[in-house]
Amino acid sequence: MSNLQTRMANAIRALSMDAVQQANSGHPGMPMGMADIAVALWDQHLQHNPADPHWINRDRFVLSNGHGSMLLYALLHLTGYDLPMSELKNFRQLHSKTPGHPEYGITPGVETTTGPLGQGISNAVGMALAEKLLAEEFNRPGFNVVDHYTYAFLGDGCLMEGISHEVCSLAGTLKLNKLIALWDDNGISIDGKVVAWFNEDTPKRFEAYGWNVIRGVDGHNAGAVANAIARAKQSDKPTLICCKTAIGQGSPNMAGSDKVHGAPLGADEIAATRKALNWTSPPFEVPDDLYLAWDFRSRGQTIQNAWNERFTAYQKAHPRSAAELVRRMRGDLPSDFAAKLQALLAQCQAKAETIATRKSSQNAIEALAPAVPEMMGGSADLTGSNLTNWSACKPVRANQWGNHINYGVREFGMSAIMNGMALHGGYIPFGGTFLTFSDYSRNALRMAALMKLRSIFVFTHDSIGLGEDGPTHQSVEQVSSLRLIPNLAVWRPCDTTESAVAWGAALERRHGPSALIFSRQNCPFVARSPKQIENIARGGYVVHEPSKVAKAIIIATGSEVGLAFQTAAHLAKEGIGVRVVSMPSTTYFDQQDAQYKASVLPAGLPRIAIEAGVTDYWWKYGCAAVHGVDTFGESAPANQLYAYFGLTVDQISTTVKQCIAQVK
């Protein structure tokens, strides 16, 4: 390792400890420990252009151990991204571009939001999978226009999280050879030496997954790390490079201990560290020769220019493929998408099918997937139940391009991999599982919402309506809890038409994920006027207006819309008019203007909500009563369960009449 490389690494150490000290919070240990590894990767291998952080063929870098965010901020600043020193001085402060953990969309050059351990490496698996599939789809002989690597830094914490097992197992199975993970093997976590609670043979574990494992690399020797990366690039498997390091390297009194993990070093120790590193520059100052050594702007532009020339030749030789790749990486839907969606809606109206909405969802996929080739489906080992496949789909395999992924029983991993694919671009990922198992993937749903990703989460078997499988599989709280996640658009459609609209909205939604929630049991088709069909996209609308003046409003979603219709018909026989409002998406309805919302839910009429789930959520709409399920379910046929939990025409009719009487 040269003296210059040592000084380049020390620049990262100095900036990291200075920023954490000024903020009086943060994690200096990891940046100081991984600084030499960063020099090896960023100076000798990473292909990127600081002037164009969104260049299609850049290598992707993921800091899975995101608490060490100052490592990434220092790298971005030093290599020439739009991240001035003033932002490093503003580390962890309100509205800075240097938040406590890296955030996608906030800091130029940050590829994904990390911090929840294990999800960064999971996103990296998704990015590497997207690269592999796009390369297979778009590259032509002599034109490798999709040809880049995904690198991830990760620590012991990432490897302890269960999600790392899920995704790294799948990465090995699919032979994602352009995924290279560099493990910061320092043996320290917040609680101390991890040997007492994390003593497995990690290299053997990854070898069992089918990874190429490079053991025993000195993580404080940039040359050794760079050589290991070069070896990794020759493998036909994903690679784990095991880098032995000392946390807080350079600190005379704290290196190698948990004391340096998550707290400032303090003025005295920083002074001692500066002396030990022979670092004479004041806080937040970097010598000019190190700025020159780190600056990647010219090199990055040269690399991108070479690719631009190759892509220009590709455009001439394969104009349609080139235009399609650009469109998909830009995130634009095909120009005829709106027409295809309208044709699907017309087909729904013409067929008027009474089927389970999970089947309605599959029908929508069947119609739209050929028109939207970037749709990348999948399921967590429940394809035949979630119905996320379609007639023309092909399974993704290690040596076979496909557009449907068998994720296996890996709900959390599936969701985080989908997020990685969405971050990479070129595909719109969707994946399915049972709604009750959304709990397994909850933190990945939250991260998708935080990053406003175009991930589509399909959840079927949405309530007590699945019947005999019982309370372990019957969702009662999940729909309402998903609605509480900011930026997550939740849809629970009632029939074929609403399911088609939900799919259209999810695909059109460029800046935010969607959760599409479908039934196992059949749901009756609802005939609608053109205006009613148009209003579905507003999230809530009047789906039935009584012949007599309405005395009450029933609000329903999904499978309970049919029950609302039956109740309205029953009350009509008694001369009581009831308006039925279908609200497939409270997310979209809540975004409507006050005038529209008042037209759907006018004041003065009692509102009764019905949904086969917890009732608390519905009081926000000023309901006089709510029929739902505020306990866990039971194992029994669905019709018996609906009766047992009071979701029947007679019981809801009684409630409606009581609410009307109270108004009088």
Side-chain angles (χ1 to χ4, degrees):
M1 183 168 175
S2 70
N3 180 60
L4 178 60
Q5 289 176 322
T6 298
R7 293 179 63 233
M8 290 170 71
N10 287 343
I12 295 174
R13 294 185 174 104
L15 289 173
S16 297
M17 63 184 183
D18 288 344
V20 172
Q21 182 70 20
Q22 178 148 311
N24 198 30
S25 73
H27 301 77
M30 186 280 269
M32 296 174 72
M34 294 195 78
D36 303 299
I37 302 171
V39 171
L41 175 61
W42 281 66
D43 185 55
Q44 298 187 47
H45 285 283
L46 195 72
Q47 304 287 288
H48 64 113
N49 182 3
D52 187 1
H54 303 292
W55 170 40
I56 290 176
N57 202 48
R58 70 191 182 279
D59 288 340
R60 270 62 170 179
F61 174 74
V62 174
L63 192 74
S64 192
N65 41 358
H67 55 273
S69 56
M70 265 309 303
L71 174 74
L72 181 51
Y73 299 148
L75 286 165
L76 294 171
H77 169 74
L78 291 167
T79 55
Y81 284 79
D82 183 18
L83 194 68
M85 185 65 80
S86 59
E87 292 292 349
L88 273 62
K89 292 179 179 179
N90 211 22
F91 179 54
R92 285 183 162 235
Q93 304 308 302
L94 184 64
H95 299 149
S96 76
K97 291 184 179 180
T98 51
H101 293 84
E103 292 188 37
Y104 173 74
I106 300 295
T107 314
V110 170
E111 299 282 3
T112 180
T113 299
T114 54
L117 295 177
Q119 286 204 64
I121 181 62
S122 305
N123 295 161
V125 170
M127 293 175 186
L129 180 56
E131 192 277 341
K132 177 183 177 73
L133 294 173
L134 284 170
E136 291 173 350
E137 190 174 356
F138 286 97
N139 286 352
R140 301 289 183 270
F143 295 103
N144 288 342
V145 292
V146 180
D147 184 15
H148 52 267
Y149 286 86
T150 300
Y151 298 96
F153 281 7
L154 69 162
D156 292 327
C158 291
L159 296 177
M160 282 186 260
E161 286 286 359
I163 192 174
S164 71
H165 296 262
E166 296 183 23
V167 301
C168 292
S169 169
L170 186 60
T173 300
L174 295 178
K175 294 187 176 181
L176 302 181
N177 65 304
K178 288 194 172 178
L179 172 63
I180 299 175
L182 295 105
W183 169 33
D184 182 26
D185 181 15
N186 61 33
I188 295 293
S189 69
I190 294 175
D191 283 355
K193 294 182 178 180
V194 302
V195 67
W197 52 85
F198 184 58
N199 196 27
E200 66 192 41
D201 191 329
T202 296
K204 283 186 178 179
R205 168 186 156 192
F206 274 78
E207 287 171 350
Y209 290 154
W211 284 53
N212 171 43
V213 176
I214 301 177
R215 302 168 180 250
V217 177
D218 181 357
H220 297 307
N221 185 326
V225 176
N227 288 338
I229 296 171
R231 289 165 55 195
K233 289 181 176 181
Q234 304 306 310
S235 178
D236 64 350
K237 304 174 182 178
T239 296
L240 178 72
I241 301 176
C242 307
C243 302
K244 196 64 182 176
T245 65
I247 190 172
Q249 174 74 356
S251 171
N253 302 302
M254 294 184 181
S257 76
D258 57 281
K259 294 179 181 179
V260 75
H261 173 88
L265 272 66
D268 291 344
E269 187 63 15
I270 287 177
T273 302
R274 276 184 149 76
K275 183 176 181 181
L277 296 176
N278 194 28
W279 187 264
T280 58
S281 298
F284 297 107
E285 288 191 18
V286 176
D288 290 342
D289 68 319
L290 292 185
Y291 268 124
L292 184 63
W294 268 116
D295 191 350
F296 207 81
R297 286 172 292 186
S298 178
R299 291 163 64 187
Q301 192 62 58
T302 298
I303 293 167
Q304 184 173 352
N305 287 344
W307 180 86
N308 288 342
E309 291 179 9
R310 186 162 71 249
F311 191 75
T312 298
Y314 175 74
Q315 286 177 309
K316 292 178 180 178
H318 307 282
R320 290 187 179 180
S321 294
E324 177 70 0
L325 178 59
V326 169
R327 177 190 70 77
R328 284 165 55 169
M329 292 301 292
R330 201 166 49 220
D332 297 340
L333 288 174
S335 58
D336 62 348
F337 175 77
K340 296 289 186 182
L341 180 59
Q342 289 305 311
L344 171 61
L345 292 172
Q347 184 181 62
C348 291
Q349 291 297 106
K351 288 188 174 182
E353 294 177 293
T354 291
I355 53 178
T357 55
R358 62 172 175 161
K359 181 61 179 175
S360 301
S361 168
Q362 187 180 45
N363 290 346
I365 296 170
E366 184 72 37
L368 297 175
V372 187
E374 57 265 46
M375 289 176 67
M376 178 62 63
S379 178
D381 204 50
L382 289 168
T383 302
S385 295
N386 301 146
L387 304 183
T388 51
N389 57 341
W390 63 102
S391 60
C393 72
K394 288 183 61 177
V396 172
R397 296 291 183 262
N399 298 306
Q400 173 183 293
W401 178 88
N403 51 7
H404 187 276
I405 303 167
N406 298 107
Y407 287 99
V409 187
R410 300 181 176 102
E411 296 89 355
F412 193 5
M414 173 183 72
S415 301
I417 288 171
M418 286 167 52
N419 289 345
M421 297 188 78
L423 284 159
H424 181 280
Y427 292 107
I428 301 176
F430 65 93
T433 187
F434 289 169
L435 177 59
T436 193
F437 301 142
S438 65
D439 291 340
Y440 281 139
S441 53
R442 180 57 59 98
N443 203 254
L445 303 182
R446 185 176 186 272
M447 296 301 285
L450 180 60
M451 291 187 272
K452 299 181 180 179
L453 301 181
R454 205 178 196 171
S455 299
I456 302 175
F457 304 100
V458 178
F459 298 121
T460 67
H461 297 59
D462 69 350
S463 68
I464 59 171
L466 67 89
E468 292 85 344
D469 276 344
T472 59
H473 286 53
Q474 291 167 5
S475 303
V476 290
E477 77 275 25
Q478 281 79 6
V479 177
S480 287
S481 65
L482 289 173
R483 290 173 178 142
L484 297 177
I485 299 176
N487 300 331
L488 178 64
V490 180
W491 288 86
R492 188 173 184 245
C494 76
D495 69 350
T496 57
T497 303
E498 285 191 357
S499 297
V501 171
W503 265 106
L507 289 167
E508 290 174 333
R509 192 168 193 248
R510 297 176 67 114
H511 303 294
S514 300
L516 308 184
I517 298 170
F518 301 112
S519 73
R520 176 181 183 268
Q521 73 272 31
N522 288 346
C523 294
F525 174 77
V526 177
R528 299 173 180 83
S529 69
K531 187 63 177 177
Q532 287 175 318
I533 295 174
E534 180 183 324
N535 284 338
I536 295 172
R538 305 186 78 162
Y541 64 105
V542 179
V543 70
H544 168 73
E545 196 72 273
S547 57
K548 293 189 176 183
V549 176
K551 298 294 185 181
I553 301 172
I554 296 178
I555 308 170
T557 76
S559 49
E560 285 68 69
V561 171
L563 180 57
F565 266 91
Q566 294 172 12
T567 303
H570 178 79
L571 290 169
K573 293 177 182 178
E574 299 183 28
I576 301 173
V578 174
R579 168 183 285 190
V580 176
V581 169
S582 177
M583 199 174 289
S585 177
T586 60
T587 312
Y588 278 75
F589 182 74
D590 290 350
Q591 294 170 358
Q592 302 305 310
D593 60 76
Q595 183 178 1
Y596 177 77
K597 287 190 281 190
S599 72
V600 175
L601 300 175
L605 295 179
R607 304 165 189 174
I608 300 89
I610 55 174
E611 186 173 61
V614 293
T615 61
D616 277 357
Y617 183 85
W618 290 100
W619 299 108
K620 65 181 279 189
Y621 294 107
C623 292
V626 182
H627 273 260
V629 183
D630 284 323
T631 67
F632 291 113
E634 299 281 348
S635 179
N639 60 337
Q640 294 181 23
L641 292 174
Y642 270 75
Y644 176 76
F645 286 108
L647 293 166
T648 67
V649 169
D650 287 342
Q651 288 167 303
I652 298 171
S653 295
T654 297
T655 298
V656 171
K657 287 187 281 189
Q658 289 173 345
C659 292
I660 293 172
Q662 290 172 1
V663 172
K664 293 179 179 179

